[in-house]
Amino acid sequence: MKNLLCALTTYPAVAALHLALVTPVHASTELEPQTKTVESKEYRYDKPFTPSASLEPKTTGIVESDKLVLQGVDEATQQSTHLVKTQTHTQHLGVNKSSSDIVVSSINEFWIYESWVTLSQDIDYDGYHSTFSIEFDADTIFTRAPVYAVLYLGKNDVYEAIHVTSDFYIYSEDSTDTFTIESALVSGYPSDEYDILLELYDADTEMLVAFTDPYDDSALAYLPLESENHEFVQEDTIVIVEEHGGTWTFLTLCLLSGIALIRRAPTARL
């Protein structure tokens, strides 16, 4: 009788193990890390920025109100010129650097007076945002100067360029000529605290003339960000075991035969 109870206790465990080994298992796993993808937009004077078809060299002469004139260039010419300038500045994209690698070629001719960061789009309400914008006010000793900016995102003092702006003018110490970059992190950025590095280049000479980072501005440090593909609640992995009724395996038949022999054994001794 004890042998029978032992066999009946062992059989379910062995059968379950056998089914787990031979039955397909379905589970959701992430095979490879996703490529970093960022989409950025540019704004100025509270509306989308339109790059100019031609930018005059920096000057210290009297500049009449040419800010609005720059917005009235033919659209086809704007697109063509924007393409050329984009190709000129693409050497910055994907470049990694730290603050210690930065060497400014201009001495007291350009500077970033102030910057403001705004976080938005936290779909899953976990405190990490997938969209952010940085507005900055760059100034110069010149009455007017063409420049462009490079935006970096990183952590632990290692930054990667995520956007290079179009060329735009800054006007002396004018506080109304701020420029805004809005960036949406599409993929490749896990939930973490990131830092921002912003560089300013002279569009005439392609030389780095000013920059700001978390050491200069605490508003650029420890920003809770994540890419859009992380903007959802993570669910626990579910393993589904499929059992197929009516299928007799060799192992099952052997176990049933053993139980039958054990049950007959006491009868034979009588």
Side-chain angles (χ1 to χ4, degrees):
M1 186 66 180
K2 292 182 179 179
N3 293 335
L4 176 60
L5 293 175
C6 181
L8 292 174
T9 304
T10 306
Y11 172 71
V14 175
L17 177 62
H18 173 65
L19 288 173
L21 292 175
V22 301
T23 304
V25 177
H26 304 282
S28 58
T29 57
E30 187 173 350
L31 299 178
E32 297 180 356
Q34 293 189 344
T35 304
K36 292 181 178 180
T37 306
V38 180
E39 295 179 353
S40 297
K41 300 177 182 178
E42 302 171 359
Y43 298 89
R44 200 173 201 189
Y45 306 125
D46 297 326
K47 59 184 178 180
F49 177 70
T50 303
S52 173
S54 62
L55 289 174
E56 298 295 333
K58 53 183 173 290
T59 177
T60 56
I62 298 177
V63 179
E64 298 180 357
S65 183
D66 57 358
K67 299 177 186 178
L68 298 179
V69 175
L70 296 177
Q71 305 295 326
V73 185
D74 178 73
E75 182 178 359
T77 307
Q78 290 172 358
Q79 294 176 352
S80 175
T81 304
H82 178 58
L83 177 60
V84 173
K85 291 187 178 296
T86 300
Q87 292 174 346
T88 302
H89 304 326
T90 51
Q91 73 272 15
H92 299 288
L93 290 176
V95 173
N96 295 333
K97 65 170 55 177
S98 64
S99 298
S100 59
D101 298 329
I102 300 176
V103 178
V104 178
S105 61
S106 173
I107 301 177
N108 299 327
E109 292 183 346
F110 298 83
W111 62 94
I112 298 176
Y113 178 74
E114 195 170 359
S115 57
W116 306 267
V117 176
T118 302
L119 304 179
S120 58
Q121 190 162 304
D122 180 14
I123 300 175
D124 54 6
Y125 301 101
D126 63 350
Y128 292 91
H129 303 260
S130 57
T131 300
F132 71 94
S133 63
I134 177 170
E135 180 182 4
F136 59 95
D137 178 20
D139 294 330
T140 179
I141 64 172
F142 302 103
T143 305
R144 176 187 65 189
V147 296
Y148 67 91
V150 181
L151 176 63
Y152 296 80
L153 192 64
K155 53 186 178 180
N156 301 324
D157 200 35
V158 178
Y159 301 90
E160 181 178 2
I162 62 172
H163 181 68
V164 180
T165 71
S166 308
D167 292 356
F168 60 95
Y169 277 122
I170 57 175
Y171 300 88
S172 187
E173 298 183 35
D174 188 348
S175 61
T176 66
D177 62 351
T178 61
F179 197 90
T180 301
I181 306 171
E182 181 184 82
S183 297
L185 307 180
V186 179
S187 64
Y189 291 89
S191 305
D192 209 333
E193 294 181 336
Y194 295 86
D195 300 330
I196 288 178
L197 166 66
L198 183 70
E199 294 181 331
L200 189 70
Y201 285 82
D202 186 333
D204 288 340
T205 64
E206 294 283 337
M207 302 298 293
L208 175 64
V209 293
F211 75 96
T212 183
D213 64 3
Y215 296 105
D216 295 327
D217 188 349
S218 61
L220 306 181
Y222 303 114
L223 303 175
L225 299 172
E226 64 183 359
S227 50
E228 292 177 356
N229 61 311
H230 290 276
E231 283 279 18
F232 56 85
V233 179
Q234 296 283 352
E235 297 182 356
D236 295 333
T237 301
I238 299 175
V239 178
I240 301 174
V241 178
E242 298 178 354
E243 298 185 15
H244 303 280
T247 302
W248 292 84
T249 64
F250 178 75
L251 177 60
T252 305
L253 292 174
C254 290
L255 289 172
L256 293 177
S257 300
I259 293 173
L261 291 174
I262 293 173
R263 294 183 63 181
R264 292 178 182 177
T267 304
R269 286 197 293 271
L270 291 176

